[in-house]
Amino acid sequence: MKFRFQRKYFSIPYIIFLSLFVVIPIGLIIYYAFSDSTGMLSIEAARKFFSDTTKLDVILVSLFVAIQTTLICLLIGYPLAYFLASKKYNKNAVLIMLFIMPMWINFVLRTTATRDILFAINLTGGNSPYLATLIGMVYNYLPFVILPLYTTMLKLDHSQMEAAADLGANPAQVFIKSVIPQSVPGIISAITMTLVPVMSSYVISDALSEGNVTLIGNSIYINFANYQWNNGSFTAFVLLIVVLVSMFMTRNVNKQENARGGLW
Amino acid sequence: MKNKLLLMPVFLLAALSAFGCSSNDEVEYVLRVLNSADYIYEAETEEDDPDMMDQFVTYMEEEKGIKVSYVYDTFDTNETCYNELMTGKSSYDIVCVSDYMVQKMISSNLVQPLYEESIEEDERLEEIYGNVSQFLWDKFENIHPKDKNTNEYMSVSIDQYSVPYMWGTVGVMYNPSFYEDLDEEDVLEMFNSWEALYLEETNNSFSIKDSVRDVYAVSILHAYYESDILPLEEKLEKGEISEAEFNAKLNEIFNRCDDEAIAKVKEDMLSLKANSFGFEVDSGKTDMVEGKIGANLAWSGDATWAIYEAQSDYETELYFSVPDEGSNIWFDAFCIPNTCGNKDIAIDFLNFMSMPENAIQNMDYVGYTSAVAGDEVLDYVYELYDVRGEVGGDPLEEGEIYDISYFFEDRLTEYDISDAVLNAWRLDAEYVFVDEEEESEIPASVYARMLRSAFPRNEQLSHLVIMDDYGNRNEAVLDMWERVRTNALPLWAIIVFIIEAVVAAIVVAAFFIIKRTKKVLRLKRKGLKK
């Protein structure tokens, strides 16, 4: 029989990729999360997770750091993206390049350098671990906030804004009623790009807080480094659920705002 | 552009042929070694001797007529190595892990004994045995793995399974000039006790290792010092118990990990953590060299390295001390996993690594103290640390007695054991070595400080104890450790959190209220029109 190429064959590489690097690992996480060290099914890890305050503290600290990082990034990134996308500054892409350039440098390197700078101004993980961690996090995740906001801002409907101004809205009203609603998709992608990754990162917080701020990522690492695979997997599983919930929520918001299509 | 494209196939060919070489048919065996990172001699410039592993390949070809090649992988912690063997994702012929991990690997049945019945069945093993210090073998004979199910000690000991490679102690590395408010002598005195890490004076100035075993060692000795260790010391002083008995009792205290001990250690660790600057994974020694921190819980080998680096790069004087209360003595050893494909070549490798000249080269490069003892090693020690520079001659006035004969017991042939009592440089030595090649000056006191970190004092041996694998208490210890490593959210952060939540609630509420009132207004207006 003659081999006939069908269009659906194009999907084969992607299916292989997805199953190898997404489905199977997640399956393994779930398997280890709900089994004990002998490989039997068990909810021991779950019981342990909910039975003492260690994990609750870890989650609270992670949420705190993640939310603060996201807020600060938005506060810095939003106006910046707005101005960079405006006609006056958007003549060439050099400026935006400058802001996302740190992304091209290995982040371990960047973090080590940040640590040295913070030492020089005597702001160390020893005396102010949260501040040091937040500075490192904001520095690392700012490009991920600026970029989606910038692309959304480029697509702002200027005629709507002009119409609002013509009909008597002052600049503040134009901003609140026209610019912000139009940029919601960008804000949403910015939040998804920072909130969860910050919670699960551990190199930055370890290096900059000198081990004084323990995020979920650190907790998972401690468990895996000491062959507590089941406990580590259950924590990873909880994080996975957090990711799913946050994705679900953002999808709903996006729907409501009848998605203008963010970058991601 | 065109040129580049033309060159491409040439590069490809070169790459392919290089690949072809490594899978040469003539190679009889590929030895797979798994070791800690930076733990073996490697050539730094082209004029240096080739890498230790390449030297082994040459040795095998020239001496044994066997063509071997090698795969050399590294790991960062013993636990990673254990995971690697446990999952079986890669198989190795040789792994190098710490004493407690050898115990654990034996109980998990991951490694095989070196010999069937006695070491006399293989003359290479006898050679290895003769090269490595008797002091270490004696220790190894008393380290028994724990049974996986019962947690009782098994009858085998780890010397049947492993060959010591490097050894050292856990102590405090410190920088007296960092503590400006204190006299240098007071600082030296202060760090002779673990108590130093709990004092107001050192608050926020030192980092501790982000590794449960090392911190546990400090905390258990500190927590039980007054109640258990001090009475023992008094007995030892009065002569009621011998040094060996003292050591055995201290060992028992040191290895406590029942619920009560864990609770006590936890309290102690929390106060240690509160006083410390933070936990470090591997930044400790470079932070010390650069003068970022004043003290660091360190392994002796790292300290030896850091003392030299700090002096030659920053002219900072670092010291290492093994506190008087006692400390952990540890060993790294080679063992042969069950996955080993050719035990014969693996033993050749162990034999090669225990040859004095290779051991010295490794020791010199890595900075840790090699397990190999013998005339050549003593020569090396003399060259570095003794006032006279070579064995023999009358003691000089600049030096002081530093007895390390325990390490060379039964291993010296040309020299007498009394030669292993060094006439070492004093800490306050004023002599300066001039390195003409690098145009640098190294004061002799550096070597005095390095020696104190490389070899513990003879008088301290009774206070050095081995920390067993926690066995089935591992999980309880780790839970405690995770608790210690985790912080509750501080009050100010909770307040920030609450304020944010309130602001968010107000914004959302305002949004809905405005929306609603507008709707009402609109309805009203419509109503009015009607």
Side-chain angles (χ1 to χ4, degrees):
Chain A
M1 215 176 81
K2 204 181 161 196
F3 174 78
R4 281 186 54 197
F5 187 81
Q6 285 174 309
R7 203 151 47 158
K8 67 179 178 197
Y9 291 157
F10 278 124
S11 66
I12 291 175
Y14 304 105
I15 290 173
I16 294 174
F17 175 84
L18 279 179
S19 48
L20 270 182
F21 297 110
V22 182
V23 179
I24 293 177
I26 289 180
L28 280 176
I29 289 178
I30 295 174
Y31 167 73
Y32 278 110
F34 293 102
S35 61
D36 59 16
S37 52
T38 54
M40 300 292 284
L41 277 187
S42 126
I43 54 157
E44 178 59 25
R47 196 192 59 74
K48 213 163 160 187
F49 187 92
F50 293 110
S51 65
D52 70 24
T53 54
T54 311
K55 292 294 185 344
L56 183 73
D57 283 337
V58 172
I59 290 178
L60 274 181
V61 170
S62 312
L63 269 179
F64 178 76
V65 172
I67 289 176
Q68 306 315 314
T69 307
T70 316
L71 278 181
I72 299 171
C73 281
L74 278 177
L75 280 179
I76 302 174
Y78 194 89
L80 195 69
Y82 181 71
F83 288 121
L84 287 180
S86 68
K87 284 199 184 104
K88 196 176 167 193
Y89 295 102
N90 198 29
K91 296 211 174 75
N92 47 37
V94 174
L95 271 177
I96 186 81
M97 281 296 205
L98 281 178
F99 279 99
I100 58 170
M101 211 160 65
M103 230 163 62
W104 302 340
I105 303 166
N106 179 297
F107 84 103
V108 178
L109 218 66
R110 257 183 292 155
T111 309
T112 317
T114 315
R115 186 169 177 263
D116 278 354
I117 292 170
L118 292 181
F119 257 94
I121 58 170
N122 195 24
L123 196 166
T124 59
N127 53 39
S128 36
Y130 283 91
L131 190 56
T133 312
L134 281 177
I135 291 174
M137 290 287 187
V138 169
Y139 173 44
N140 268 282
Y141 285 93
L142 196 57
F144 295 98
V145 170
I146 294 180
L147 210 55
L149 283 172
Y150 173 75
T151 29
T152 337
M153 298 283 189
L154 279 182
K155 288 186 270 179
L156 281 184
D157 186 355
H158 286 271
S159 51
Q160 196 195 47
M161 286 148 67
E162 280 159 21
D166 285 349
L167 290 170
N170 61 31
Q173 277 174 323
V174 171
F175 186 75
I176 293 171
K177 303 235 164 169
S178 178
V179 178
I180 291 188
Q182 286 192 64
S183 60
V184 164
I187 299 176
I188 300 285
S189 3
I191 292 177
T192 35
M193 297 288 291
T194 45
L195 200 67
V196 177
V198 170
M199 282 175 83
S200 60
S201 74
Y202 73 90
V203 175
I204 301 171
S205 61
D206 242 5
L208 294 180
S209 79
E210 310 294 332
N212 289 321
V213 171
T214 308
L215 305 184
I216 294 189
N218 301 85
S219 166
I220 296 174
Y221 174 76
I222 292 177
N223 276 303
F224 271 89
N226 295 295
Y227 35 83
Q228 303 284 312
W229 288 29
N230 307 107
N231 298 335
S233 293
F234 192 81
T235 318
F237 177 69
V238 172
L239 191 65
L240 198 70
I241 289 176
V242 174
V243 176
L244 287 179
V245 167
S246 72
M247 270 172 67
F248 187 72
M249 271 162 60
T250 46
R251 213 185 60 171
N252 271 2
V253 178
N254 252 343
K255 253 187 203 158
Q256 271 175 19
E257 297 293 334
N258 83 64
R260 279 182 184 80
L263 176 65
W264 319 96
Chain B
M1 193 66 203
K2 216 175 175 184
N3 274 336
K4 269 185 194 163
L5 276 177
L6 274 175
L7 273 174
M8 274 273 283
V10 181
F11 279 126
L12 268 177
L13 265 179
L16 273 176
S17 61
F19 194 75
C21 273
S22 64
S23 59
N24 202 324
D25 301 6
E26 286 172 43
V27 169
E28 282 176 44
Y29 192 70
V30 181
L31 188 79
R32 296 149 304 172
V33 182
L34 184 62
N35 197 353
S36 292
D38 297 324
Y39 218 35
I40 194 170
Y41 168 77
E42 276 165 38
E44 279 166 333
T45 62
E46 289 201 357
E47 292 141 34
D48 292 345
D49 283 352
D51 291 358
M52 191 54 68
M53 291 305 294
D54 290 326
Q55 289 186 36
F56 173 66
V57 172
T58 326
Y59 163 83
M60 285 303 280
E61 197 174 345
E62 282 172 5
E63 302 286 322
K64 310 266 170 180
I66 305 173
K67 247 185 137 97
V68 292
S69 70
Y70 63 88
V71 175
Y72 186 83
D73 291 333
T74 58
F75 58 82
D76 50 357
T77 64
N78 281 297
E79 283 69 24
T80 325
C81 178
Y82 180 82
N83 275 345
E84 198 97 352
L85 293 191
M86 205 57 185
T87 51
K89 63 183 170 193
S90 36
S91 54
Y92 288 95
D93 301 307
I94 299 277
V95 293
C96 175
V97 289
S98 302
D99 46 296
Y100 77 97
M101 193 47 76
V102 180
Q103 282 179 296
K104 197 176 175 78
M105 282 181 171
I106 297 172
S107 11
S108 305
N109 206 9
L110 290 173
V111 290
Q112 51 179 301
L114 298 175
Y115 49 85
E116 301 281 324
E117 278 172 12
S118 82
I119 100 167
E120 276 120 39
E121 64 198 49
D122 190 331
E123 64 181 37
R124 288 170 304 172
L125 282 173
E126 275 187 276
E127 222 175 296
I128 297 171
Y129 196 90
N131 282 337
V132 173
S133 164
Q134 185 61 39
F135 169 69
L136 299 187
W137 287 121
D138 288 346
K139 295 274 179 198
F140 267 45
E141 274 169 31
N142 287 314
I143 307 179
H144 302 281
K146 285 177 178 171
D147 189 278
K148 228 181 175 175
N149 301 314
T150 60
N151 212 31
E152 298 289 317
Y153 288 111
M154 293 154 74
S155 58
V156 291
S157 53
I158 68 170
D159 64 318
Q160 289 156 287
Y161 287 80
S162 59
V163 175
Y165 176 47
M166 301 272 178
W167 66 286
T169 52
V170 175
V172 191
M173 168 161 52
Y174 59 98
N175 177 357
S177 58
F178 194 88
Y179 301 96
E180 288 165 351
D181 303 340
L182 303 170
D183 282 343
E184 188 168 326
E185 276 183 21
D186 290 341
V187 178
L188 262 61
E189 183 61 37
M190 181 170 81
F191 280 106
N192 277 334
S193 162
W194 290 118
E195 186 64 34
L197 302 182
Y198 298 79
L199 293 176
E200 183 69 25
E201 284 88 338
T202 57
N203 185 21
N204 215 356
S205 71
F206 67 91
S207 62
I208 43 186
K209 281 204 178 298
D210 188 6
S211 115
V212 51
R213 295 176 57 85
D214 299 307
V215 185
Y216 200 95
V218 178
S219 278
I220 198 144
L221 287 169
H222 186 254
Y224 281 102
Y225 183 67
E226 274 178 21
S227 61
D228 292 56
I229 302 175
L230 199 60
L232 273 182
E233 277 183 345
E234 279 163 8
K235 275 188 192 169
L236 179 68
E237 248 168 58
K238 281 183 204 153
E240 286 171 24
I241 49 173
S242 71
E243 288 205 349
E245 281 170 323
F246 176 85
N247 191 267
K249 290 209 164 122
L250 188 64
N251 204 49
E252 181 271 318
I253 298 169
F254 192 62
N255 280 301
R256 283 180 193 170
C257 52
D258 50 79
D259 287 338
E260 190 205 324
I262 289 181
K264 219 169 166 179
V265 165
K266 181 181 164 187
E267 286 309 305
D268 195 273
M269 274 192 191
L270 285 173
S271 58
L272 180 63
K273 176 191 169 181
N275 202 37
S276 80
F277 174 77
F279 295 94
E280 50 96 8
V281 182
D282 53 5
S283 56
K285 49 182 176 179
T286 40
D287 283 355
M288 284 302 296
V289 171
E290 291 167 7
K292 283 187 178 138
I293 50 176
N296 176 234
L297 179 64
W299 294 315
S300 51
D302 284 349
T304 318
W305 176 87
I307 289 169
Y308 189 85
E309 287 299 305
Q311 187 72 53
S312 63
D313 290 358
Y314 294 88
E315 294 188 6
T316 315
E317 287 188 10
L318 298 186
Y319 286 76
F320 179 78
S321 120
V322 177
D324 292 338
E325 291 96 333
S327 184
N328 180 209
I329 181 169
W330 52 262
F331 315 93
D332 285 339
F334 288 116
C335 22
I336 305 180
N338 287 336
T339 50
C340 173
N342 191 332
K343 199 174 166 187
D344 213 39
I345 293 179
I347 289 180
D348 275 330
F349 178 75
L350 297 182
N351 191 12
F352 177 77
M353 290 299 273
S354 73
M355 290 172 183
E357 64 270 26
N358 301 329
I360 290 170
Q361 203 164 33
N362 283 327
M363 172 155 59
D364 197 55
Y365 179 82
V366 176
Y368 280 73
T369 311
S370 166
V372 173
D375 293 336
E376 295 94 332
V377 178
L378 190 63
D379 275 335
Y380 173 79
V381 169
Y382 260 86
E383 202 182 309
L384 276 183
Y385 303 127
D386 195 281
V387 177
R388 292 161 290 183
E390 55 184 27
V391 185
D394 293 323
L396 298 177
E397 257 184 39
E398 291 97 319
E400 63 174 321
I401 302 291
Y402 199 96
D403 186 0
I404 54 168
S405 54
Y406 62 88
F407 184 73
F408 291 94
E409 204 82 56
D410 286 346
R411 290 293 180 270
L412 298 178
T413 46
E414 275 177 47
Y415 301 132
D416 190 66
I417 190 65
S418 64
D419 289 327
V421 180
L422 301 185
N423 189 211
W425 289 103
R426 282 175 193 279
L427 284 176
D428 56 3
E430 276 165 10
Y431 189 83
V432 174
F433 290 99
V434 181
D435 187 339
E436 280 172 8
E437 252 173 59
E438 297 194 6
E439 291 178 9
S440 61
E441 292 183 350
I442 299 291
S445 67
V446 178
Y447 295 104
R449 285 177 271 131
M450 282 167 73
L451 172 65
R452 276 151 188 79
S453 121
F455 292 94
R457 276 181 178 280
N458 195 15
E459 300 83 58
Q460 271 183 321
L461 292 183
S462 59
H463 282 68
L464 294 179
V465 273
I466 298 156
M467 183 174 262
D468 275 330
D469 176 38
Y470 298 122
N472 63 7
R473 297 294 295 159
N474 200 29
E475 200 165 343
V477 173
L478 279 173
D479 284 347
M480 183 271 293
W481 173 245
E482 210 183 332
R483 181 65 261 184
V484 171
R485 285 284 276 105
T486 308
N487 293 39
L489 206 56
L491 189 64
W492 63 266
I494 296 176
I495 294 171
V496 170
F497 233 163
I498 293 173
I499 293 174
E500 280 170 7
V502 170
V503 170
I506 290 174
V507 169
V508 171
F511 181 74
F512 280 107
I513 290 169
I514 290 171
K515 220 174 176 181
R516 219 196 146 100
T517 41
K518 272 187 183 166
K519 209 173 174 185
V520 173
L521 278 176
R522 217 163 33 224
L523 284 176
K524 266 187 192 164
R525 239 180 277 154
K526 273 182 191 165
L528 279 176
K529 266 183 189 173
K530 268 177 193 171

